[in-house]
Amino acid sequence: MRDGAGAAPGDVRRRIPRTDAVLRDPRLAAAVGRLGPGPVKAAVRQAQERARQGAVAPEAVPDTAVALLPRTAGGLRPVINATGVLLHTNLGRAPLSTAARQAVLDAAGPTDVELDLATGVRARRGRSALEALRGQVSSAAAAHVVNNGAAALVLAATALAAGREIVVSRGEMVEIGDGFRLPDLLVSTGARLREVGTTNRTGVEDYAAAIGPDTAFVLKVHPSNFRITGFTRSAAIGDLAALGVPVVSDIGSGLLAPHPLLPDEPDAQTQLASGAALVTASGDKLLGGPQCGLLLGDAGLVRTLARHPLARALRVDKLTLAALEATLTGPETPTARALHADPGALTRRAERLADALSSAGLDVRAVSCAATVGGGGAPGVTLPSAALSVPETWAAALRTGAVPVLGRMEGGRCLLDLRAVPEEDDALLAEAVRAAAGERR
């Protein structure tokens, strides 16, 4: 059947080319080898439908189909994070560095992930990544990696506390996002929770009174996505370590060493040096790496966790190991650059972009604003930033454009915060704003 079948004589729709004819276009034929036939045929059908609706001329169907081709065969689309949230969970948290991306490409084929090339025999999985991790935290005797931060805590609870008690403060029984709650997570491992203290005040004496023969460890959780202020009290790691049972510290955000911009954020180096036996954290937050769960600390405990049967189910793949090692040993990550961005430089970028866009008649202004860390890290910390302020009605067009741009609504305007936007993406951002403005006219 011809694509124009059923149209009246002289109807422009009769000139819409057949699908097989469009697919013979060299550009689309090449795309089949890159993307597969399904996505290419879908783009052709969309182009034909636009021609039927009169949005494009029938002769433009091949060009339109080429323009509609997805960048990759996968369904995930790259976006510009202009929300002002550096580690946006819905956008995949930390963007990988160029070095980490290259490491993933290199590891995509056969690798020596579990093989010693010198001897030809099996070797410890991801040994170089684990050594790189331990090398970043001198107070850690050993390290292990699983597939996310919650998995790290689950492995610790399963291997060390199944059928026994975990002592934890009531003020640290947090919900970690998407409805998942820490108590439910821990109880699912077969451990029993012994809650102590109150929501706002828990002292070392509360832990001491609860510790008994069934205590597997004391759990110290950083409530990383909220703050309790006012009449508060908490126990220090050093004081808890003196109670005679292991202390597991879940720091959450993956900060490996103290950071001057985040003085209240716990870090692995300090927690272990203060007496924690084990630290658990996420790799895709402040570390700026791939999604994974980090376990650092006492060599005997880490070995017990790594050899537990559950560790096999929670292990990371070679791509994650490659990205993690490159993050640890490579250049500054995008997360670090965003965290350290100079507010003055952000203001100059915003003004330069706003001047260029407003001179073309667009309602775009440069404004000062405040960004946040996000991803369950550094609650209450704000970072001075600058943004492009555009009409709120442009938000949907920005979000659904050729290069999706995510901003935030504030004061009846859509702010495109530049702190998490690499400067090399400024041209793409400007083009997306122009396209969104054109749709709204």
Side-chain angles (χ1 to χ4, degrees):
M1 178 182 293
R2 299 182 61 85
D3 286 285
D11 192 320
V12 70
R13 290 176 295 177
R14 296 184 67 86
R15 306 203 319 269
I16 296 173
R18 291 168 55 108
T19 299
D20 56 354
V22 180
L23 288 172
R24 285 196 290 271
D25 184 292
R27 297 168 297 174
L28 295 168
V32 170
R34 179 169 56 89
L35 301 171
V40 178
K41 287 181 180 178
V44 171
R45 293 190 186 103
Q46 288 179 59
Q48 290 168 332
E49 183 60 30
R50 291 190 182 187
R52 292 187 191 98
Q53 295 170 357
V56 300
E59 296 77 14
V61 165
D63 289 342
T64 303
V66 170
L68 290 170
L69 290 172
R71 288 182 55 187
T72 68
L76 297 178
R77 294 184 63 188
V79 306
I80 292 178
N81 176 14
T83 62
V85 180
L86 274 55
L87 302 168
H88 199 300
T89 297
N90 300 141
L91 302 182
R93 292 185 180 157
L96 294 181
S97 67
T98 301
R101 296 182 190 198
Q102 183 59 53
V104 169
L105 287 175
D106 292 341
T111 68
D112 60 342
V113 64
E114 284 188 29
L115 181 70
D116 185 334
L117 294 175
T119 63
V121 301
R122 186 169 185 160
R124 186 184 183 193
R125 183 179 181 85
R127 57 205 175 280
S128 58
L130 296 175
E131 282 304 308
L133 177 57
R134 199 184 68 79
Q136 292 287 321
V137 185
S138 60
S139 53
H144 186 65
V145 180
V146 290
N147 55 19
N148 62 27
L153 194 53
V154 162
L155 180 57
T158 304
L160 305 178
R164 302 181 67 195
E165 285 187 348
I166 299 172
V167 179
V168 60
S169 168
R170 287 187 174 88
E172 297 173 4
M173 303 292 280
V174 300
E175 184 172 309
I176 57 178
D178 198 26
F180 289 98
R181 294 177 171 176
L182 189 68
D184 299 337
L185 197 69
L186 293 171
V187 168
S188 73
T189 69
R192 300 189 304 276
L193 299 186
R194 181 73 179 272
E195 301 175 31
V196 299
T198 62
T199 300
N200 59 322
R201 290 177 65 83
T202 305
V204 67
E205 66 277 6
D206 296 311
Y207 292 92
I211 289 174
D214 269 353
T215 302
F217 60 81
V218 167
L219 176 62
K220 183 72 175 167
V221 180
H222 175 51
S224 55
N225 53 9
F226 70 94
R227 295 177 67 186
I228 298 177
T229 61
F231 187 54
T232 63
R233 183 187 180 198
S234 61
I237 289 289
D239 293 335
L240 294 176
L243 296 178
V245 296
V247 176
V248 176
S249 176
D250 179 29
I251 63 173
S253 65
L255 195 63
L256 298 187
H259 196 292
L261 292 178
L262 309 171
D264 296 327
E265 193 73 10
D267 65 276
Q269 175 70 19
T270 302
Q271 297 286 291
L272 291 170
S274 298
L278 190 69
V279 165
T280 63
S282 295
D284 58 346
K285 296 183 181 180
L286 288 171
L287 179 59
Q291 177 183 296
C292 59
L294 313 178
L295 293 137
L296 296 147
D298 177 80
L301 288 182
V302 172
R303 188 179 306 110
T304 297
L305 270 56
R307 298 309 304 166
H308 190 277
L310 184 61
R312 172 77 179 193
L314 301 179
R315 78 177 189 177
V316 293
D317 72 337
K318 60 184 179 178
L319 304 183
T320 301
L321 290 168
L324 176 60
E325 184 173 0
T327 298
L328 293 163
T329 63
E332 188 178 46
T333 66
T335 298
R337 286 200 300 272
L339 193 60
H340 299 145
D342 174 50
L346 295 174
T347 297
R348 290 189 291 274
R349 283 175 59 195
E351 291 174 344
R352 184 167 60 249
L353 286 166
D355 288 346
L357 293 165
S358 61
S359 65
L362 305 185
D363 182 5
V364 181
R365 305 187 284 245
V367 299
S368 297
C369 60
T372 58
V373 174
V381 173
T382 57
L383 305 164
S385 190
L388 298 180
S389 171
V390 304
E392 187 175 18
T393 54
W394 295 6
L398 284 163
R399 193 175 61 249
T400 57
V403 178
V405 176
L406 280 294
R408 71 176 184 271
M409 304 308 150
E410 197 170 291
R413 302 278 289 182
C414 176
L415 298 192
L416 305 178
D417 193 308
L418 297 183
R419 186 171 268 270
V421 179
E423 188 169 359
E424 56 266 29
D425 284 350
D426 282 359
L428 284 175
L429 178 62
E431 183 54 38
V433 171
R434 291 189 191 96
E439 282 196 22
R440 299 304 303 172
R441 287 181 173 177

